[in-house]
Every structure is written in C-alpha cells, then in structure tokens.
Amino acid sequence: MLTDYMEEAVCGVDDLKDGELKDVRVGDTDVLLARVDGQYYALHPKCTHYQAPLSKGLLNGNRLVCPWHNACFDVRSGHRLEAPALNGLPTHEVRIEGDQVMVRLTTDKESLENPMSTPDPANNTTCVIVGSGGAGAFAAEAMREGGFTGNILMLTSSSQAPYDRPNCSKDYLQGKAPDEWMPLRTPDFYADYGIEIRTGQQVTRLDPQKKEIELSAGEGQPTERITYDKALICSGGKPNKLPVPGADLNGVHVLRSLHDSQQLRDLGQQGKRIVIVGSSFIGLEAAMSLRKLGSEVDVVGMEAIPFEKILGGRVGKVIQGWHEKEGVRFHLGRKVGTIEGTDTVEAVVLDNGDRLPTDAILLGLGVKPNVDFIAGIDREEDGSLRTDKQLQIADGLYVAGDVATYPTADGSQRIEHWKVAGQQGYTAGMNIAGQEMTYQEVPFFWSNQQGKRINYVGHAEKIDDVIYDGNPEQDDNFLAFYVQGGEVKAVAGLKRDTDIIAIRELMQYGQLPAVDKIRKGVDWKAELVTK
C-alpha cells in the first residue's frame, strides 16, 4: 500500500536532456521519468492500451508516443491524446532538492480516465451514434470530454458493447486473450457517464433533413423512430461476398465480430481444415492464429505476392515466408472457381482446377461501407460518404471510420484502420460537443504477422519506388519508404519503433526530408529534434 510520503531521489538534475525518458524506481514502484523544456515529469511507465514500455517510445515536446501502437499521451498531465489508448497515465509529484530530482508517489493506479462531464438531467439535447466500433467508442467519450451534457444513445446491430476488435484476429482468436479482456469499458463506466448502448438494433433509415432515425422492430411490429439533434454515422463495413457457386453453403465465414472470432476459434481448436480466400492483413493474421491452434490452413489470393500493392514485393515475399515456415500453404495468382458441398462446404476448386478439401472457408476479401440506410446523401464511387475537415456531411450529422472519405493535403482518403477510426471518432465527438476540431492525422496501422509486428505510417495510392533502410530478407529490422510522385508517402517498419514514431511526427507537420536525403540515410530521432 502506497503512502502519501513515499519519496526518493531518482536522478541528478542534469542526468537527462530535454526529450529523454528514463525508467526509475521509487520504493517498489516503477516510474517513467521524462524531461521537457527543463522540467521533469513522472508518470506510470506502461501504455494503458497493451502495457507497452513507454521508455521504449519517443518524446516529441510534451507528446509521449507508445512504441507499439502509437497511442499518445501528454507528459504534463498524463492525459490520453490519441487512440488506441482510452485511458491516460497517472502522474506523480516531482520536485528538485539541491541537485537531485525527487519523485513522490501520489497514486497506485495504473490508468486514469481523461476528465469528462456527466449528463445533466435538464439538458434534453440528444446525440445518436450509429455503430459501436472504435469510432463510436471514442466519439461517445469525446462528447463528454468536450463538455456535452445531453443524452448520448449508441445504436448497434452487434450483440456486444464496444470491444477490442483488432484482437479478434490475433490473441483472442488464438485463445490467449480471455473474454474479459475484450470489452473496452465496463457497463458501470457507460452508466456513470450516461452513455446508453442499445445492442441488436437494426437501423433501416436515417433522414438528415428530418433528423430522424428509423429502427426495424421485427416482422409485424411498428417501426420505431428516434429524433436527434446531432448524430454520428460510424457503421463500419460490410464484408465483400464471393460471387461463385457454393458461396451460400454452411461453413463459409467472415471475421468482422467477436462472435465470428469465437466460431473460428472453435473450428481451429478442433483442428479443422480451413481455406482462407483473400491474402489480406486480416486474412493472414487469421491464418497465423488458426495455424497456431492446430488447423491446416490454405490461403488463396489473386495477387502474385501478398501485400505487394501496399508493402512492395520484397516485404510481401518476406512475410509470405514467415507464414510458410509455420506451415501455411499459399495458392497465389489464383481465383476461386466454385465451392463444392451438399449442405456444408467440402472443397474449394480454383480457376486452374486445383481442388482444396476443406471443413470451412474464411473470406478475407475486404469490406464496403455500410451506408445503405442513409437517405439524401450522395455517395463516393466506393459507397463512402465525403466529409469536410470537421468530419461533417450535413447539419448536425458527422461521419467517422470505414465509411468516411475525408480531405487531406494529398486529396481525399478513406482509411480502414482502428487507430484512424478511433481518432476520427474522437474528433467528431469533440465537434459535436462544440470544440471545432479539424481532423488531419497521419494514418497509422499495425499488423501482427507470425509474431512480428509491422508498423505502417502514411498512405500511398501506388508505389513508384521503394527505399530500404536494412535488408528485409536478411535483417530482423528494417524500414521501407514508399515513394509516389517523387515524395515519400508511406513507411513500413519492423522493429524500428522509435524511427516510425519520429517519421509519423515529421509527416504530421509536413517536415519529412526529401527523397534524396532519405536515400543517404537519416538519424530519425535527431531529425525530429532539429525540427
């Protein structure tokens, strides 16, 4: 049990330079020490997302960035600044005594919620969130953080309150993450902050002119109508279907939900043969997880090399090799011709006649925006909704996540990443609360491929050239810079966490070095400091 007076000298006043981090101990408690503009700060040392050691991250001014998934915190207050972390970091008191830095423990908590308002019964304003993914979860909290005290209603077709969806293809699918790890918040949290979540709700129509939402109440039941003052659409994506004979047989699965992951985990634990159609990030994460459970796994992909369009051929081949080493079989440059079976799938027949016997199929063919219920709003060619810089599409109506096409300096973008969805939800929620924020974050995503985490920042529509720092085929760490139109637009990295953080911070402020300088080699942390 901590006392109010547990205090120790942890270093000399000149031991750290501005921008440096150091793990220290006060008694039996680990503490992270940071120095910014000559001032020392002491915080909880692990990220509140997945407990990454923050001393392995990077400090840019007051921004402390996690090395694993790029969550971001303010070292001055401990407040969470960016997804995927929901909570902030507890802080401890720091004082200078002579030439020593003294830290006094003031809390034994491992995380703290950002300051949020509670609902005011006298405020009858209603905001409705359609969707319960990362965007919806962060939006609801941002509304309270931004000072909104009205009613918040979240409508979701899922049977679950917001949960950690990225884990559905990783540790949860492997049986390493228990059910209790998956919810983002407890029911008590949502009750305390007046966030009403209605699961199992099918929104059939949203009318931006009337500011009205219709819900299906089931056959023979009257339609329920809800009026809103402001609303957020973050309804996510619908899995693309496989347009071949037999695709409607039992045993054809997708991986978009906790329930989907549970079903696939059961199959994997039984050692079933599984064919994955689509060599996407989710598809190959699932291949990794199902293989670890003991399944025989075949992957069918139209591409000659997995991820070639996103990561380039060399990196794609390396990742394919990681999977093949673990027994995953690839059938690339191939399409599915037909699926055989009576009631349940029995085999996948490829366009070259090869027959793959199977007990189940997992489709990893991407998604399309789930927006069919929205009336009176034009769609983009891909079915998404075009927003302004505040993520608004109509009076009082906002969009975030997979369904949003938003403006950037390089043109419009639509990004299907968890961190992006969370940050967009946060921005939209703050705007609903009246804070007038602009969304202008550089995209970031991560993928776990056979236990190796690839981090990726930026966005490249096509790859004109790739610059490598390190050898992907031989080194256990590298950076790959993707050049489009004479500029580096995206970067992927393996075990180069602080470099990726520095690169994203430089991208964020339009200060990335020119291609010629990057070809010669850059000390990325030093480059960030000089900016």
Side-chain angles (χ1 to χ4, degrees):
M1 182 72 181
L2 298 176
T3 71
D4 291 337
Y5 303 102
M6 187 177 291
E7 182 182 62
E8 288 186 11
V10 293
C11 71
V13 292
D14 296 325
D15 286 356
L16 266 66
K17 298 177 182 178
D18 283 345
E20 289 188 338
L21 301 165
K22 182 180 182 181
D23 285 319
V24 299
R25 288 180 68 84
V26 179
D28 294 330
T29 301
D30 294 323
V31 173
L32 178 67
L33 200 64
R35 176 169 165 163
V36 178
D37 294 333
Q39 182 76 37
Y40 279 92
Y41 301 92
L43 310 97
H44 182 70
K46 293 185 178 179
C47 180
T48 58
H49 178 230
Y50 272 146
Q51 302 300 303
L54 291 171
S55 61
K56 303 296 185 182
L58 196 63
L59 193 57
N60 181 27
N62 62 289
R63 291 168 50 84
L64 172 61
V65 186
C66 169
W68 291 359
H69 308 115
N70 279 211
C72 183
F73 307 89
D74 189 329
V75 292
R76 301 168 298 185
S77 62
H79 290 171
R80 184 261 301 139
L81 297 177
E82 292 185 14
L86 281 163
N87 281 356
L89 301 169
T91 60
H92 304 289
E93 292 182 8
V94 179
R95 66 183 181 89
I96 305 299
E97 183 175 293
D99 62 352
Q100 295 294 301
V101 177
M102 310 292 294
V103 173
R104 175 180 294 183
L105 301 183
T106 53
T107 179
D108 58 0
K109 296 182 178 179
E110 295 185 353
S111 66
L112 291 173
E113 299 156 10
N114 279 14
M116 290 187 284
S117 301
T118 52
D120 179 359
N123 187 345
N124 294 319
T125 305
T126 295
C127 176
V128 178
I129 301 171
V130 180
S132 62
F138 277 91
E141 297 193 25
M143 291 177 205
R144 294 297 187 220
E145 187 176 334
F148 179 68
T149 60
N151 304 310
I152 299 177
L153 172 61
M154 182 181 291
L155 302 172
T156 174
S157 59
S158 171
S159 61
Q160 306 284 334
Y163 58 89
D164 184 14
R165 184 170 291 168
N167 212 345
C168 287
S169 59
K170 305 178 181 71
D171 283 355
Y172 186 78
L173 180 54
Q174 295 171 31
K176 295 181 179 179
D179 289 349
E180 55 266 27
W181 284 13
M182 297 302 283
L184 296 183
R185 295 293 195 187
T186 65
D188 287 346
F189 173 90
Y190 292 117
D192 289 344
Y193 288 105
I195 300 169
E196 180 185 357
I197 301 175
R198 290 176 55 180
T199 59
Q201 302 295 303
Q202 189 63 47
V203 175
T204 56
R205 182 178 173 85
L206 186 150
D207 189 327
Q209 299 301 317
K210 295 181 179 179
K211 293 191 174 180
E212 184 178 81
I213 293 172
E214 294 182 0
L215 296 173
S216 172
E219 187 175 353
Q221 299 296 318
T223 298
E224 181 181 359
R225 290 180 173 83
I226 299 171
T227 58
Y228 65 84
D229 296 285
K230 294 184 180 180
L232 171 65
I233 300 168
C234 48
S235 45
K238 296 187 296 185
N240 290 322
K241 298 180 179 180
L242 185 63
V244 302
D248 57 349
L249 289 170
N250 293 325
V252 177
H253 299 263
V254 295
L255 181 49
R256 287 292 295 172
S257 71
L258 191 63
H259 178 67
D260 295 337
S261 186
Q262 291 166 343
Q263 286 188 315
L264 288 164
R265 184 179 61 191
D266 290 344
L267 291 171
Q269 289 170 340
Q270 296 172 39
K272 297 294 186 180
R273 300 168 299 178
I274 299 176
V275 172
I276 298 175
V277 181
S279 52
S280 62
F281 284 103
I282 296 297
L284 289 193
E285 285 184 351
M288 165 189 69
S289 298
L290 292 166
R291 185 72 186 127
K292 288 180 183 294
L293 290 174
S295 285
E296 292 186 29
V297 179
D298 288 89
V299 175
V300 178
M302 292 173 55
E303 308 87 356
I305 301 172
F307 315 131
E308 184 173 16
K309 292 182 180 179
I310 300 173
L311 300 178
R314 286 181 63 183
V315 176
K317 286 290 289 185
V318 168
I319 295 175
Q320 180 182 339
W322 298 342
H323 287 279
E324 289 175 330
K325 185 177 180 181
E326 300 301 324
V328 176
R329 298 183 291 257
F330 284 85
H331 310 267
L332 298 173
R334 301 263 65 91
K335 296 180 181 179
V336 174
T338 187
I339 298 173
E340 294 181 348
T342 305
D343 296 319
T344 302
V345 298
E346 297 175 3
V348 173
V349 180
L350 305 184
D351 56 356
N352 64 350
D354 286 352
R355 186 176 183 273
L356 309 177
T358 188
D359 301 303
I361 296 171
L362 172 59
L363 302 182
L365 301 173
V367 300
K368 60 182 178 182
N370 181 21
V371 295
D372 292 345
F373 60 91
I374 302 166
I377 300 290
D378 292 337
R379 273 58 157 179
E380 298 297 292
E381 287 187 10
D382 62 2
S384 62
L385 304 170
R386 180 179 292 272
T387 77
D388 63 14
K389 292 182 179 181
Q390 285 73 44
L391 302 177
Q392 191 170 18
I393 62 170
D395 178 43
L397 184 59
Y398 296 79
V399 175
D402 293 358
V403 297
T405 289
Y406 59 95
T408 75
D410 289 332
S412 298
Q413 291 181 359
R414 183 174 78 88
I415 306 292
E416 299 172 0
H417 303 324
W418 182 256
K419 179 180 173 72
V420 170
Q423 279 305 105
Q424 288 183 351
Y426 180 80
T427 300
M430 293 294 279
N431 288 334
I432 287 171
Q435 297 300 313
E436 298 185 1
M437 288 181 64
T438 296
Y439 181 77
Q440 51 187 8
E441 302 289 333
V442 171
F444 169 91
F445 80 88
W446 74 94
S447 181
N448 186 340
Q449 301 290 329
Q450 293 297 345
K452 303 177 190 294
R453 175 171 38 82
I454 298 287
N455 285 354
Y456 182 99
V457 293
H459 178 70
E461 293 288 345
K462 64 185 184 72
I463 301 173
D464 298 331
D465 189 17
V466 185
I467 303 169
Y468 295 97
D469 179 353
N471 187 330
E473 293 85 0
Q474 297 179 8
D475 299 340
D476 65 351
N477 69 84
F478 63 84
L479 293 171
F481 299 85
Y482 302 105
V483 180
Q484 178 183 335
E487 298 180 2
V488 169
K489 296 296 184 181
V491 184
L494 173 67
K495 296 184 180 180
R496 298 289 290 271
D497 295 340
T498 55
D499 287 339
I500 286 289
I501 295 170
I503 289 166
R504 181 172 181 265
E505 294 289 300
L506 290 164
M507 281 183 169
Q508 190 68 55
Y509 298 102
Q511 297 176 335
L512 201 66
V515 167
D516 287 346
K517 182 174 181 178
I518 293 174
R519 288 188 191 279
K520 296 175 183 178
V522 176
D523 181 335
W524 289 104
K525 187 174 180 180
E527 184 74 18
L528 181 62
V529 170
T530 62
K531 299 296 185 182

